[in-house]
Amino acid sequence: MNPRLTQSQQKTICAQLGRFKLKLLYKASIHGFTGAAFHQRCDNRSPTVSVGYNNSGFVFGGYTKQPFSQSGQYVNDDQAFLFTFDGENLIKYPVTNPPYAVRMVANSGPYFGEALVLVNGSQAVTHSNPGKYYNFPAAQMHGNDLNLTECEVYEVQGTTELERPWRTVIWESEKRKELIESIKSYKPTVSSVTQPRVLLIGPVGAGKSSFFNSVSSVFRGHVTSQAISGSSSTSLTTQFRSYSVKAGREGKPLPIILCDTMGLEETKGAGLDIDDLSSILKGHLPDRYQFNPSAPLHPEAHGYRTSPGLKDKIHCVAYVIDASKVSIMPTGLEEKLDAIRRKVNLMGIPQLVLLTKIDEACPLVKEDVTNVYRSGYIKDLMQEVGSRLGVPLSCIIPVKNYSEELELDMNCDILLLSAVIQMFRFVDNYFDELSDRMSNMQTKD
């Protein structure tokens, strides 16, 4: 039994639900366009996604967390919604009157309020009545073509909780203190560099500036925001910024500089320019350099460093990726990231991935951040990011940035601090490689 929903459509629906995968329960062309066939295969299963298809090419349906039955009653569901696909995009119509979200009717297929019924009256037809507990434009939903060529119902399968965490983390305040001390006392192996520079690269809105703000918050002792962060479809960071994190309000700077760039955008000529990236990696760019996506950097730019020293270069690159958008990453963006990775590889700069918004991607982690390495879903996401970006699992670190919180959370702090420690380890690798190359050159001389 093959699903008619494409992989891409399934992923788009799952991204809405923060769930794992869809399992096909009922397919009308095989089991019959009847209420009886639908109920036989779908009763007592939940949550579900029901999908109708018509000859006009529309793909539409509804989601409910309530199990189907034949009671004749309405069932309350405040999370129910109807949807239709516009190309690859999902348009959602939430329930407007939750007590009437779903009706359990024996002689029909999935029955959403009185607004949308698939396999209505055991016929290959849709009943459509916008406004009855769901609002939608009929032309947008199904193009007013009410004859069904197919109807499918999928069960939404939740995230799996692993028996034991696959990475060991000590979630204790002593551990937090120990990590803070290790970061404060870190010294690079090269004496000419006191603050290694880590470049944050990632799509618009993935959480680059928020990561800096979050690390800064841990050392300040309360949630703070120095770098502009928020949600926008185009980059909020338009300048090249290098931020030094201070150990407390009056404290001295920590041995790390986090460099923030414009967000990556999938279209050419928008967001971070790949040619500008070379200048950043080599250390030519001054702080507060104003990006111009339509024209790459030129050496006459104000503050351009013509002969940067080792301390000005980038010593580690961290890709910042939103966990809740991994499976629906646009091809254009993936290609840009691939081009960047190749460029960074050629320059011998170590690379890691910060996987952000893990709580938005997985209900298990939303419940408790310490479940991060117990979530089968997060592990799968990390593997998917690894294969898409060409980095091993050991280079991927999940974090939860502070966004709406006012107070710090010990467990979030531990993940953020562990990410900084990992950056230091990668920086050490960079300097080790460098000294190996230097000593090889000297032996050749």
Side-chain angles (χ1 to χ4, degrees):
M1 199 166 64
N2 292 321
R4 185 152 157 194
L5 267 186
T6 64
Q7 279 296 341
S8 158
Q9 288 169 333
Q10 291 186 45
K11 282 180 172 177
T12 303
I13 291 172
C14 286
Q16 283 290 331
L17 304 171
R19 292 297 180 97
F20 217 18
K21 54 180 182 228
L22 300 180
K23 179 187 174 189
L24 186 57
L25 299 176
Y26 163 75
K27 192 174 176 78
S29 58
I30 292 176
H31 304 120
F33 282 91
T34 67
F38 155 72
H39 283 290
Q40 184 191 345
R41 303 193 69 85
C42 303
D43 279 4
N44 305 315
R45 306 293 281 270
S46 66
T48 53
V49 172
S50 303
V51 192
Y53 306 81
N54 64 22
N55 258 330
S56 309
F58 285 80
V59 179
F60 58 97
Y63 163 83
T64 175
K65 64 180 183 187
Q66 295 288 9
F68 290 112
S69 72
Q70 300 174 56
S71 66
Q73 308 292 312
Y74 285 105
V75 180
N76 188 347
D77 183 356
D78 58 355
Q79 287 168 33
F81 61 85
L82 300 180
F83 64 85
T84 188
F85 275 96
D86 174 20
E88 293 298 310
N89 297 323
L90 187 85
I91 303 170
K92 252 173 94 169
Y93 314 99
V95 63
T96 54
N97 198 342
Y100 299 96
V102 189
R103 195 171 176 193
M104 304 302 173
V105 176
N107 189 34
S108 285
Y111 208 108
F112 291 90
E114 294 294 335
L116 188 77
V117 185
L118 302 174
V119 190
N120 187 38
S122 292
Q123 304 288 317
V125 294
T126 305
H127 167 76
S128 172
N129 186 10
K132 272 293 196 180
Y133 320 131
Y134 297 86
N135 292 325
F136 57 87
Q140 187 183 46
M141 174 70 94
H142 42 57
N144 290 310
D145 176 357
L146 300 179
N147 291 318
L148 289 173
T149 54
E150 182 64 279
C151 173
E152 295 179 327
V153 178
Y154 296 82
E155 184 173 30
V156 183
Q157 299 193 319
T159 49
T160 48
E161 186 170 353
L162 306 173
E163 270 181 48
R164 56 171 65 91
W166 58 278
R167 272 187 191 165
T168 315
V169 179
I170 299 162
W171 306 100
E172 287 170 10
S173 57
E174 273 310 305
K175 182 64 183 172
R176 180 181 176 278
K177 270 193 206 135
E178 185 189 309
L179 290 168
I180 286 177
E181 285 315 310
S182 312
I183 291 169
K184 282 183 180 174
S185 60
Y186 171 79
K187 280 191 176 58
T189 50
V190 173
S191 55
S192 63
V193 180
T194 53
Q195 289 178 292
R197 297 164 73 86
V198 177
L199 179 65
L200 305 175
I201 297 180
V204 171
K208 295 179 295 300
S209 304
S210 298
F211 175 73
F212 164 76
N213 287 335
S214 299
V215 171
S216 187
S217 299
V218 178
F219 285 92
R220 282 285 177 96
H222 61 86
V223 177
T224 169
S225 57
Q226 184 182 337
I228 299 169
S229 65
S231 51
S232 167
S233 58
T234 53
S235 185
L236 290 166
T237 308
T238 57
Q239 295 180 326
F240 173 69
R241 292 303 320 268
S242 40
Y243 293 108
S244 181
V245 184
K246 286 201 173 88
R249 198 164 144 212
E250 304 287 315
K252 59 181 203 311
L254 294 171
I256 188 168
I257 287 177
L258 293 172
C259 302
D260 197 4
T261 54
M262 264 189 100
L264 287 180
E265 297 183 38
E266 54 180 304
T267 45
K268 288 189 168 63
L272 180 66
D273 183 88
I274 307 265
D275 294 327
D276 274 352
L277 184 70
S278 284
S279 306
I280 296 172
L281 296 171
K282 290 173 183 165
H284 291 299
L285 247 60
D287 185 29
R288 296 185 185 273
Y289 166 75
Q290 187 70 41
F291 287 111
N292 176 1
S294 53
L297 178 77
H298 53 92
E300 291 77 54
H302 178 68
Y304 183 91
R305 289 191 199 100
T306 40
S307 47
L310 181 59
K311 68 174 180 24
D312 304 313
K313 296 184 192 305
I314 295 297
H315 310 114
C316 172
V317 167
Y319 300 102
V320 182
I321 305 289
D322 177 344
S324 62
K325 295 194 174 143
V326 169
S327 51
I328 49 174
M329 189 188 288
T331 320
L333 198 59
E334 204 171 322
E335 286 167 358
K336 265 195 183 177
L337 281 164
D338 191 52
I340 290 170
R341 187 180 56 82
R342 286 163 197 255
K343 187 160 259 189
V344 176
N345 261 348
L346 282 173
M347 295 175 73
I349 302 170
Q351 310 172 61
L352 56 87
V353 176
L354 294 176
L355 192 66
T356 60
K357 307 190 188 183
I358 48 174
D359 54 321
E360 288 177 34
C362 173
L364 202 62
V365 179
K366 197 179 186 75
E367 210 173 279
D368 185 349
V369 172
T370 64
N371 285 331
V372 58
Y373 293 120
R374 281 182 176 276
S375 162
Y377 183 51
I378 294 290
K379 188 176 185 184
D380 283 356
L381 275 186
M382 287 168 70
Q383 283 166 331
E384 189 176 345
V385 168
S387 64
R388 280 178 175 234
L389 298 189
V391 294
L393 202 54
S394 57
C395 298
I396 303 171
I397 302 139
V399 292
K400 180 195 173 320
N401 290 335
Y402 289 112
S403 54
E404 60 212 4
E405 301 82 357
L406 295 173
E407 297 303 322
L408 297 177
D409 171 87
M410 182 188 74
N411 299 324
C412 290
D413 288 358
I414 286 172
L415 285 179
L416 290 160
L417 295 165
S418 304
V420 176
I421 293 284
Q422 205 58 26
M423 287 171 177
F424 284 156
R425 288 176 183 159
F426 278 55
V427 165
D428 286 345
N429 292 348
Y430 174 82
F431 291 132
D432 289 350
E433 284 276 303
L434 198 67
S435 61
D436 287 352
R437 281 209 301 271
M438 300 296 274
S439 55
N440 283 343
M441 280 161 73
Q442 280 160 359
T443 49
K444 278 177 187 162
D445 293 347

